[in-house]
Amino acid sequence: MAGETPLAATRTPWERAVGRLKAIVIDTVLLALALAMAEFLALAFSGRRGPTGMLLGAEEILDLLHYGWIASLAFAGAMVWNLFEHFLGSSPGRALAMGPREAEEGLEWHETLRGWFVAVLIELTFFTGWLVTEVDLGSFLTKFSKASGIVRGLVHPSGAVLHQGLVLLVQTIFLAFMATAFAIPVAFCLSFLAARNLTRGSALSRAVYLVTRTGMNFTRAVEPLVWALIFISWVGIGPFAGVLALWVHSVAALTKLYSEQIESIDPGPVDAIKATGARTLQVLRYGVVPQVIPPFLSFTIYRWDINVRMSTIIGFVGGGGIGYILKPRVDLGEWGEVGTLVLLIAVTVWLMDLVSAKIRERIV
Amino acid sequence: MGSGAEAVRIEGLSKVFDERVRALSNIDLVVREGEFLAVLGLSGSGKSTLLRCINRLIDPTGGRIWIDGEEITAAKGAQLRRMRQKIAMIFQQFNLVRRHSVILNVLTGTLGRTGIAGSLLLRFPQEERRRAVAFLERVGLGDHVEARADTLSGGQQQRVAIARALMQRPRLVLADEPVASLDPALRHSVMRHIEALNRDEGLTVLCSLHDIDLVKAYATRVVALRAGRLVWAGLPEELDMDVFHEIYGEDAEMASNASL
Ligand SMILES: Nc1ncnc2c1ncn2[C@@H]1O[C@H](COP(=O)(O)OP(=O)(O)OP(=O)(O)O)[C@@H](O)[C@H]1O
Ligand SMILES: [Mg+2]
């Protein structure tokens, strides 16, 4: 064992203190989760009834939980666990923050307290989840007939909306196309700023990298549906709002993909071009661009494909395209017409999938 | 031969990577105009780092370097680019733009002096194109002018890189193990072109090599690196077992068996 110093032993006291703190925080969170779920299950199974005499729903039980007590108890528990770690064995928090103790290595999960705790936590999560989402297998298995209208509609599509559907389908495809096309130049420029290997030069360029990356990650985290709602109130209901929503999302997504591609290029040609005395723009044009164009094209076509799918959903909230006429028909239960529209979308998505796969195959 | 003016002067050059890896320690070296200087050393001894510090692909952590009397370690922006034009570099992995044509690769040698707008559109003056074709014919690639660079064999690609270097109108050529990734049979054909740069064009050449045969065949002077230090300097014919021990330490037998 002389040669293999355990990692923990090589840490500085400061790192160990931070690790311990992290362990306590993680343990507190995990214990609080376990306690909350235990109380939830206890409340659900104790058969308490609401004011109307009915069994309580998931929301009402959640309302009754004693979060303050749970939090303090969990904190106390985590402190005890981490203080008496030596006797209680390692805790999940410690394992995540500092790596498991050597003493635990080689033990099966059921031989450690940590293992049991995690096992119980998983069980609790499953049972609580079952109740919280009000899983109702009975309805699922016996009440299919209520939905049979939709299936019948899919099998017997109505011709009434075929013409309008086709027109809007064309709009959907163009909507996705415009969003993608507008996104390409913006994402192309941003991707160079978001590539780590090109932004190591100065403090300024590193700051630009960080700002671009963070901004794009945030933008991407916001769903296109939410962007659609924002742009609908901005430019009004219609396909242009949809274009803008998908554009914003595509810029963020493409910037990420493009910049990752730039980060994985061969640095050799970049060095060679730099060595000729070329300017930065020339180094990018000759050293970087030729290496990234084929993957960029492939990502972009894939994005268009994704945008076609997304634009049907965006139509639901008023962002134009075929989704726009689908929503009222679902609400009215016009299943034949719904069937026609769903089939149109399915065929288009399938075709786009096929075509984009073929094109991408050619490029790479 | 070694009597001309100073082409390169290096004083106290050091490079530490990531504040831990000491790749070069306090190197002093003068290369005279017209020399063909071979740089010997084991893998990891700092040969590439030394060559890349000279054209500032790597920024040294200490020391100064002068090219033709002008300090490149103090140069910035336009001045650095102007100095780099005079220093061509040839790489072990050729480092061509693989998707571009052979001639376009050769023309990149002129990027330091062509207008930026045209070059971003891959446009170059007719005059430069004629020179590029002439250089390609000189390295025996007259039939491959329009071929895509990555369709060529390794030896051909390295000759494209030599034409690209010529295109720069350099005063100094840095070659980093130019034949290490080529078939042994092809090595001399490429080395002869580099020798021609030195002999016919009068260019100063700094070339890292690890094949002693090649050093003896082409170099006019030799320096050796070991763990980032300059441990030996002399003439090719002075290389013998004692010197090998100094350069390669315990691996000396192997190195000499492999190439003597
Ligand atoms: N970019 C880098 N970052 C960190 N360390 C590096 C970097 N480049 C080189 N090194 C280290 O610097 C030392 C010298 O490397 P260098 O590439 O100059 O050696 P070399 O003599 O050219 O070796 P080889 O024959 O393998 O090409 C090595 O220990 C290497 O690991
Ligand atoms: Mg090297």
Side-chain angles (χ1 to χ4, degrees):
Chain A
M1 284 306 286
E4 301 169 48
T5 339
L7 204 65
T10 62
R11 291 214 172 107
T12 64
W14 168 250
E15 280 172 325
R16 244 175 293 152
V18 171
R20 170 104 345 173
L21 204 69
K22 273 195 214 158
I24 291 178
V25 172
I26 296 172
D27 279 332
T28 307
V29 171
L30 290 177
L31 276 169
L33 279 174
L35 287 171
M37 291 193 286
E39 189 180 356
F40 181 93
L41 288 175
L43 285 172
F45 286 116
S46 65
R48 283 179 59 172
R49 280 151 207 280
T52 54
M54 302 275 285
L55 218 56
L56 289 175
E59 270 177 63
E60 289 162 300
I61 305 179
L62 283 170
D63 256 359
L64 291 174
L65 290 190
H66 299 89
Y67 295 106
W69 280 108
I70 289 172
S72 3
L73 246 158
F75 183 65
M79 292 296 278
V80 170
W81 197 333
N82 278 277
L83 278 178
F84 293 102
E85 186 193 286
H86 189 68
F87 310 105
L88 294 173
S90 181
S91 76
R94 174 183 162 118
L96 284 170
M98 310 164 78
R101 288 156 43 113
E102 312 96 71
E104 280 206 324
E105 267 168 29
L107 291 184
E108 296 288 324
W109 68 268
H110 54 79
E111 291 171 312
T112 65
L113 184 58
R114 182 162 61 89
W116 277 103
F117 177 78
V118 172
V120 168
L121 197 65
I122 292 171
E123 308 281 299
L124 276 178
T125 310
F126 184 76
F127 286 120
T128 317
W130 184 285
L131 293 179
V132 168
T133 57
E134 300 176 10
V135 171
D136 184 356
L137 280 185
S139 308
F140 181 70
L141 294 176
T142 58
K143 297 187 184 160
F144 171 70
S145 56
K146 288 190 177 174
S148 57
I150 300 179
V151 178
R152 216 173 306 127
L154 282 172
V155 185
H156 303 283
S158 127
V161 282
L162 188 60
H163 180 71
Q164 201 190 357
L166 277 173
V167 170
L168 285 174
L169 194 61
V170 172
Q171 191 183 52
T172 302
I173 294 170
F174 271 107
L175 192 161
F177 174 78
M178 291 308 279
T180 317
F182 283 144
I184 294 170
V186 184
F188 183 84
C189 296
L190 287 176
S191 65
F192 288 86
L193 306 178
R196 170 153 269 157
N197 53 340
L198 302 181
T199 50
R200 269 196 286 251
S202 62
L204 177 71
S205 63
R206 277 193 294 273
V208 168
Y209 163 84
L210 217 69
V211 170
T212 320
R213 263 284 150 106
T214 318
M216 287 299 118
N217 280 341
F218 180 77
T219 313
R220 211 158 34 84
V222 177
E223 282 291 314
L225 203 65
V226 178
W227 286 115
L229 293 172
I230 294 172
F231 284 112
I232 283 168
S233 42
W234 188 336
V235 300
I237 282 187
F240 186 50
V243 169
L244 289 174
L246 290 178
W247 171 69
V248 171
H249 194 74
S250 300
V251 165
L254 283 178
T255 302
K256 181 180 157 68
L257 289 173
Y258 286 179
S259 61
E260 276 168 3
Q261 194 59 43
I262 293 176
E263 282 170 0
S264 68
I265 60 168
D266 171 14
V270 177
D271 285 342
I273 303 295
K274 232 189 245 172
T276 65
R279 292 158 181 273
T280 308
L281 272 180
Q282 292 171 319
V283 173
L284 295 181
R285 178 66 188 89
Y286 288 83
V288 180
V289 171
Q291 292 195 60
V292 295
I293 285 294
F296 275 24
L297 277 176
S298 150
F299 290 144
T300 310
I301 290 167
Y302 186 46
R303 216 346 86 180
W304 182 21
D305 186 0
I306 293 176
N307 280 346
V308 169
R309 291 155 204 253
M310 281 189 173
S311 60
T312 61
I313 303 294
I314 281 183
F316 263 64
V317 295
I322 197 165
Y324 192 45
I325 59 165
L326 184 56
K327 175 81 162 46
R329 278 162 183 79
V330 171
D331 291 345
L332 294 173
E334 307 267 12
W335 299 123
E337 299 181 3
V338 170
T340 312
L341 297 175
V342 167
L343 285 176
L344 279 178
I345 294 171
V347 169
T348 313
V349 166
W350 173 67
L351 278 176
M352 287 290 300
D353 221 29
L354 216 71
V355 172
S356 94
K358 277 274 176 286
I359 299 180
R360 281 183 289 135
E361 230 168 69
R362 282 280 166 78
I363 294 170
V364 181
Chain B
M1 190 172 87
S3 56
E6 282 177 6
V8 183
R9 163 172 284 274
I10 298 174
E11 280 183 9
L13 180 67
S14 305
K15 175 66 191 180
V16 182
F17 285 108
D18 311 323
E19 290 166 21
R20 285 179 298 113
V21 186
R22 182 162 272 283
L24 291 177
S25 303
N26 206 18
I27 305 276
D28 292 309
L29 176 66
V30 171
V31 187
R32 301 206 170 267
E33 252 169 46
E35 272 192 311
F36 190 124
L37 180 78
V39 182
L40 274 177
L42 280 174
S43 185
S45 59
K47 303 182 295 293
S48 301
T49 308
L50 172 64
L51 294 179
R52 286 163 168 266
C53 280
I54 292 174
N55 64 358
R56 289 273 305 279
L57 282 185
I58 293 177
D59 275 321
T61 34
R64 302 164 76 184
I65 301 172
W66 291 262
I67 311 290
D68 284 332
E70 193 175 357
E71 187 180 350
I72 194 167
T73 39
K76 280 202 212 88
Q79 189 197 2
L80 176 60
R81 290 200 303 272
R82 182 174 51 71
M83 295 186 74
R84 275 179 176 163
Q85 276 176 56
K86 294 287 156 207
I87 310 171
M89 188 155 204
I90 294 168
F91 301 83
Q92 178 176 351
Q93 299 302 334
F94 329 130
N95 291 351
L96 301 182
V97 181
R98 301 172 58 86
R99 298 177 59 84
H100 281 177
S101 66
V102 165
I103 185 161
L104 196 49
N105 267 286
V106 176
L107 285 164
T108 58
T110 70
L111 284 177
R113 57 178 185 267
T114 44
I116 185 143
S119 69
L120 290 183
L121 298 170
L122 312 184
R123 284 225 184 82
F124 291 88
Q126 269 311 314
E127 173 57 28
E128 300 282 24
R129 298 189 81 88
R130 269 194 294 277
R131 285 186 63 223
V133 173
F135 285 140
L136 279 171
E137 275 163 4
R138 195 151 122 196
V139 295
L141 291 172
D143 296 337
H144 297 81
V145 171
E146 294 298 338
R148 230 176 80 155
D150 56 3
T151 61
L152 267 51
S153 71
Q156 290 172 324
Q157 290 195 34
Q158 195 61 300
R159 281 184 277 150
V160 175
I162 291 170
R164 173 173 69 186
L166 275 164
M167 214 52 201
Q168 259 176 264
R169 297 201 198 107
R171 296 292 312 136
L172 172 67
V173 177
L174 308 172
D176 190 4
E177 307 206 19
V179 293
S181 44
L182 298 180
D183 240 290
L186 290 172
R187 290 187 179 163
H188 282 286
S189 87
V190 167
M191 282 309 293
R192 268 195 285 273
H193 285 293
I194 296 177
E195 185 187 33
L197 298 180
N198 176 246
R199 190 179 291 162
D200 307 342
E201 307 280 322
L203 304 183
T204 313
V205 175
L206 261 86
C207 181
S208 70
L209 287 169
H210 58 217
D211 187 333
I212 311 292
D213 283 341
L214 294 178
V215 174
K216 292 198 167 174
Y218 299 101
T220 61
R221 198 159 70 93
V222 186
V223 294
L225 291 174
R226 183 173 170 186
R229 294 182 183 280
L230 210 95
V231 291
W232 190 80
L235 299 175
E237 50 271 25
E238 291 168 359
L239 283 168
D240 56 24
M241 269 325 286
D242 293 341
V243 177
F244 283 167
H245 273 291
E246 205 167 326
I247 303 174
Y248 293 119
E250 289 161 9
D251 298 321
E253 312 293 339
M254 233 173 52
S256 64
N257 286 342
S259 49
L260 279 185

